[in-house]
């Protein structure tokens, strides 16, 4: 039977599902309820330095991108770090950890980028008995204008410097939370490693504006008629986050650095994607805010059932297994050839595949055959682009078939070569053979 026990950066938890630093982890009341529901750990909502509490807006803090049937695709917020006094948060962290010793409890921290500020807060946080700290170098709004959050995360030298301070003044594992608002995620990840980080977590939210009110023509949501860019998260950001997780895992200079995967995790399948690409655990926020804490039960059961079916004892048995299948475009086999196949027994004749292919792709699907409505792939036109598979509303109705070596490709009129050939060796490449294999 699958064992979901997780060990991440030296922090043990009963499962790999942690709540991310955000409103769901803002106070002891929430965290108690989360642990009762089954979450393996939490990252406490970001703490600031002692002094006057942070002031949040008292109006719309959230916006969402919805489907026509109001399912949530993306989520946006302009909320800042905790607006509760530091002493209150520290007391509650201490109490929660005492009552839930088997759960991971990590404190997120964001203070000014000065050594004295970090040196002051770290002993107080460590004294709570928490299991680790997460450095919030990611929030893109509000605090970044004050030189914190993403303002630090966008400067690798600052990341390395602050991480080194935290390793000097604290004995706790240090997790560096990275911002996606940067061109190359490998550089801040490498800076974190050079600073001595025990792990990185990513992604934090992406700079965003959700839209405009069609009646007032003002940015929406707005506070007293004005709006501000916020942090975008939810299911829509998952592909972006997965790419960044894989980039860190593939880079020789950051390979092996423990990663906590964040961004669009709402089911066990999402968690599987992150773990298979190398993440040691996952953090969840938006899904818990939309569906409540008990969604973790589906995640736990689903992942355990999958592992039992696949014969995996622990998540380490498949962590990173998909990473070797990620490469750069130039190393793809350009001789591989696929064709779409429509299962006529499943086709409901909606015609979406034909419209999509006829209007925007390669005109490779019929609409009529012998004067009768009929959808069939024209292999002499099909390039195997996958658009018809994507738009078909019936699962497994349209699939792609890979032609075997020697089989005739009706589009080119030539047999499929047996040997693989990527762009580095392609005769059309003027730099042919100049690049090294991945």
């Amino acid at each position: 039977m699958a064992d979901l026990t997780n060990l991440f950066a030296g922090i043990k938890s009963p499962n790999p599902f942690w709540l991310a630093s955000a409103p769901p982890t803002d106070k002891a009341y929430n965290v108690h309820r989360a642990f009762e529901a089954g979450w393996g750990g939490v990252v406490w909502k970001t703490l600031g330095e002692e002094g006057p509490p942070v002031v949040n807006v008292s109006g719309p803090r959230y916006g969402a991108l919805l489907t026509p049937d109001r399912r949530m695709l993306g989520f946006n917020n302009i909320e800042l770090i905790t607006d509760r006094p530091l002493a209150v948060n520290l007391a509650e962290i201490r109490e929660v950890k005492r009552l839930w010793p088997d759960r991971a409890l990590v404190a997120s921290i964001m203070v000014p980028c000065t050594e004295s500020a970090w040196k002051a807060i770290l002993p107080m946080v460590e004294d709570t008995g928490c299991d680790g700290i997460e450095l919030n170098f990611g929030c893109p709004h509000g605090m970044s204008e004050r030189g914190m959050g993403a303002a630090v995360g966008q400067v690798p030298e600052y990341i390395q410097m602050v991480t080194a301070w935290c390793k000097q003044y604290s004995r706790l594992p240090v997790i560096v939370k990275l911002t996606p608002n940067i061109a190359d995620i490998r550089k801040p990840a490498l800076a974190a490693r050079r600073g001595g980080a025990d792990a990185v977590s990513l992604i934090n939210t992406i700079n965003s504006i959700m839209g405009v009110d069609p009646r007032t023509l003002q940015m929406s949501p707005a506070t007293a008629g004005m709006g501000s860019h916020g942090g975008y998260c939810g299911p829509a950001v998952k592909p972006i986050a997965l790419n960044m997780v894989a980039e860190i895992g593939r880079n020789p200079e950051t390979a092996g650095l423990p990663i906590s995967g964040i961004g669009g995790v709402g089911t066990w399948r999402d968690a599987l994607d992150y773990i298979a690409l190398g993440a040691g655990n996952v953090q969840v926020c938006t899904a818990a805010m939309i569906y409540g804490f008990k969604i973790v039960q589906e995640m736990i059961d689903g992942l355990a059932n999958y592992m039992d079916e696949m014969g995996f004892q622990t998540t380490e048995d498949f962590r990173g297994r998909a990473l070797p299948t990620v490469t750069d475009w130039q190393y793809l086999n350009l001789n591989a050839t696929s064709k779409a196949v429509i299962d006529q027994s499943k086709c409901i004749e909606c015609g979406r595949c034909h419209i999509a292919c006829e209007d925007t792709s390669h005109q490779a699907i019929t609409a009529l055959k012998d004067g009768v409505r009929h959808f069939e792939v024209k292999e002499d036109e099909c390039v195997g682009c996958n658009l018809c598979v994507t738009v078909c509303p019936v699962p497994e109705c349209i699939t792609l078939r890979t032609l075997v070596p020697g089989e005739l490709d009706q589009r080119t009129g030539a047999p499929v070569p047996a040997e693989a050939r990527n762009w580095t060796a392609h005769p059309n490449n003027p730099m042919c053979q100049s690049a090294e294999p991945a």
Side-chain angles (χ1 to χ4, degrees), residues 192-377:
R193 167 166 271 186
R194 287 175 172 167
D198 297 280
V200 294
S201 56
L202 66 153
I203 59 175
N204 207 307
T205 53
I206 303 172
N207 266 323
S208 57
I209 288 178
M210 297 309 291
V212 172
D213 185 308
R215 301 296 179 190
T216 64
L217 295 181
Q218 295 175 339
M219 177 181 163
S220 177
T223 300
M226 298 291 288
S228 174
H229 72 92
Y232 191 53
C233 54
V237 310
K238 178 185 156 190
I240 299 169
L242 288 177
N243 177 57
M244 291 185 170
V245 166
E247 286 294 285
I248 294 173
R250 292 202 300 135
N251 180 21
E253 294 185 292
T254 52
L257 183 63
I259 298 172
S260 184
I262 311 170
V265 178
T267 68
W268 70 270
R269 271 295 284 116
D270 298 322
L272 168 62
D273 289 338
Y274 276 97
I275 296 170
L277 285 169
N281 71 5
V282 294
Q283 296 185 32
V284 180
C285 173
T286 307
M289 294 180 72
I290 301 300
Y291 301 110
F293 287 144
K294 291 185 178 178
I295 60 164
V296 73
Q297 294 165 8
E298 182 278 335
M299 296 180 185
I300 293 171
D301 291 344
L303 188 60
N305 290 337
Y306 164 77
M307 290 168 60
D308 286 340
E309 179 182 339
M310 296 291 289
F312 297 138
Q313 298 297 311
T314 73
T315 55
E316 287 299 307
D317 292 342
F318 63 96
R319 186 174 67 83
R321 290 274 285 270
L323 202 54
T325 68
V326 183
T327 189
D328 297 334
W329 191 96
Q330 64 182 336
Y331 300 121
L332 297 176
N333 178 12
L334 301 179
N335 282 344
T337 304
S338 297
K339 302 290 181 183
V341 179
I342 300 175
D343 185 339
Q344 298 298 330
S345 68
K346 295 180 179 177
C347 179
I348 60 175
E349 299 185 349
C350 66
R352 290 184 61 183
C353 59
H354 167 74
I355 294 298
C357 189
E358 192 73 12
D359 287 357
T360 68
S361 196
H362 295 83
Q363 300 78 49
I365 297 180
T366 66
L368 297 171
K369 185 175 184 180
D370 300 328
V372 178
R373 188 176 176 85
H374 180 79
F375 303 97
E376 187 173 295
V377 175

Side-chain angles (χ1 to χ4, degrees), residues 335 337 339 403-418:
N335 282 344
T337 304
K339 302 290 181 183
L403 274 57
V404 299
E407 186 174 352
L408 181 67
D409 179 352
Q410 295 186 29
R411 188 175 71 88
T412 64
V416 175

Side-chain angles (χ1 to χ4, degrees), residues 7 12 118 126 147 150 160 175 195 286 289 295 305 426 437:
L7 184 64
K12 190 174 182 179
W118 288 94
E126 188 166 331
Q160 181 173 340
I175 304 168
T286 307
M289 294 180 72
I295 60 164
N305 290 337
H426 200 281

Side-chain angles (χ1 to χ4, degrees), residues 137-138 159 176-180 185 188-189 192 200-204 248:
F137 294 158
I159 293 174
V176 177
K177 190 171 186 178
L178 303 178
T179 175
I185 196 66
V200 294
S201 56
L202 66 153
I203 59 175
N204 207 307
I248 294 173

